[in-house]
Amino acid sequence: MAVVSACAAVGLVASGCSSGGANSSGRDEHVLLLSVDGMHESDLTDYLAAHPDSNLGKLAGRGVHYTDAQTPIPSDSFPGLMAMLTGGSPKTTGVYYDDSWARDLLPAGTTDCAHAAKGAQVDLTEDLDKNVHRIDGGQGLTGLPDSIGKMTDDPGTVIDQAKLPVDPASCKPLAPADYLKVNTVFSVLHAAGDRTAWTDKHPAYQIANGRGGRSIDDLFTPEISSSATDDPAADSWDKDNTLTRRYDTYKVDSVVNEIAGKDHSGATDAGVPVLFGMNFQTVSTAQKLPASKGYQADGKPGVLLSGALDFVDQQLGRMVTALDQAGLRDKTTIVLTAKHGQAPIKADSLTRIDDKKIIDAIDTEWAATHPATPKLIAHSVDDSALLMWLADRSAAAAAFVKQKLLAATGTGTDIAGNPKPFTASGVDKDKLYVGADAAAFFGVSFDDPRVPDVYAGVTPGTVYTGGKSKIAEHGGMTPDDRHVPLIVAGNGIAEHDEKSEVALAQIAPTILHRLGLDPAKLDAVAAEHTALLPGA
């Protein structure tokens, strides 16, 4: 592994190195990256106060606890993870959400690329699987679910190519990794000859390889949205927190196997990855399901969510113990954070709104005077924010959508499922960006082929859903969405709380810096001049 000056590569002032921001006493041989999806900084702070001797407490006690870490906007799994792995925001990565729209691509299944109209959904969810009902994504393993360790280390093989958008230049399906506009930390490490691994929740996380081909040697992606039994109608792993914990345990098993120098299955000697890690889903499930009740009235975790945090703490302990047994604890940087938070924390602020009714009304009224455009909203994703891509990108169409969103009133439901009125579609009128303003908000030109035409922050507590099956979501810009935990512990890092605001994108260059590699080898770091995390 070639060692270069990270401060020189990224820029002395920008990186924070000039003030002792980066440790100079040594590097580590490995980085373990962990994302506790949905977890808030407030969850971590409360947990550390109540459990100072916990595994989380011990981790914070030997590293930097960043008390003001922020996710990108939109605060979704894919922008969040891409920030951690690339050092960039959606304007550079091109990834705005796990389900979005690209004006420069052709719809899935297109074969006559010379005559097809551009504009395609880009779905990075479980929908890409060959068989969404199976935890192996359709690989065909026997003995599931407990045989899931045998799942392929190349999830591209269980992605249904017919569901991918088509590249008009090649007239071939575009894999998630090729949709990403930049490289990742895995790309840089792979080029340096280092072994890499990652574990996540859908085969679509093949995107983590980054532009330029496969760079993750062992990518383990059991499908969380699959049926937990052989019955396709059975609950999926994310519909019951007990099931989610069992599912997350499979993933922790993979990391423990890798710490021991095996592949994720534990069956083959492979060598310990230089960079590896996983995401947890247990906290997210406990936050979102009505049966869990999420948080108490005072904003503190309820019984099930408290148990989910305990579970994560126990599993962190398993991984730290494995590092100790392998003699790697003092050679490994551990980064613990979250791809996104979850909103709202205060249950009494929840207002569920059926966004389909709002969208249908906009399309219908527009079509009445514009019959050539029967569907103005070409694509929308609405969780705890509104994202829309328009078929007509004129200023008049953008103004029409804005006016209709602000005028829409109706009745949603509260935490108990009772009627609750809403105004202005549930959006915050001061955080509604349309047309050129939306492009400017994200820092791109209006002709960017991927930027949403509408992005709206919401009034606190708004969640868009047609049913009553969730009590929280993510994707917005409120503190509940964006303010996440971040701890970095490793060789030469002094224990302290860092109160300055930092971004998840700063994790990527910091990972390479910790491993003695040049952060500027990351395309997004070079483009956005992403700083290192201070003190790491």
Side-chain angles (χ1 to χ4, degrees), residues 77-160:
S77 294
F78 275 80
L81 184 62
M82 292 307 100
M84 294 183 220
L85 299 183
T86 72
S89 59
K91 69 177 182 181
T92 302
T93 65
V95 179
Y96 285 87
Y97 221 77
D98 66 357
D99 182 10
S100 60
W101 187 264
R103 302 179 191 90
D104 57 344
L105 299 179
L106 300 175
T110 299
T111 55
D112 184 1
C113 296
H115 301 95
K118 290 182 179 179
Q121 180 182 2
V122 181
D123 193 341
L124 298 171
T125 70
E126 66 274 10
D127 294 334
L128 289 187
D129 299 357
K130 289 182 176 178
N131 187 340
V132 70
H133 298 296
R134 291 178 59 86
I135 191 173
D136 65 358
Q139 181 179 339
L141 295 175
T142 59
L144 292 174
D146 290 337
S147 65
I148 190 57
K150 297 178 182 179
M151 185 177 178
T152 176
D153 60 11
D154 181 8
T157 61
V158 294
I159 289 177
D160 186 345

Side-chain angles (χ1 to χ4, degrees), residues 35-39 224 237-238 240-249 251-252 278-289 292 304-313 315 342:
S35 173
V36 187
D37 294 8
M39 190 174 183
I224 187 159
W237 299 96
D238 54 355
D240 180 281
N241 198 248
T242 300
L243 292 175
T244 311
R245 295 185 198 187
R246 182 180 175 189
Y247 166 86
D248 274 349
T249 300
K251 295 194 294 185
V252 177
M278 62 168 283
N279 85 304
F280 284 93
Q281 285 295 111
T282 304
V283 167
S284 180
T285 297
Q287 290 168 325
K288 293 174 72 171
L289 297 177
S292 77
L304 189 63
L305 181 52
S306 293
L309 293 166
D310 287 338
F311 170 82
V312 170
D313 186 75
Q315 298 303 311
Q342 210 88 263

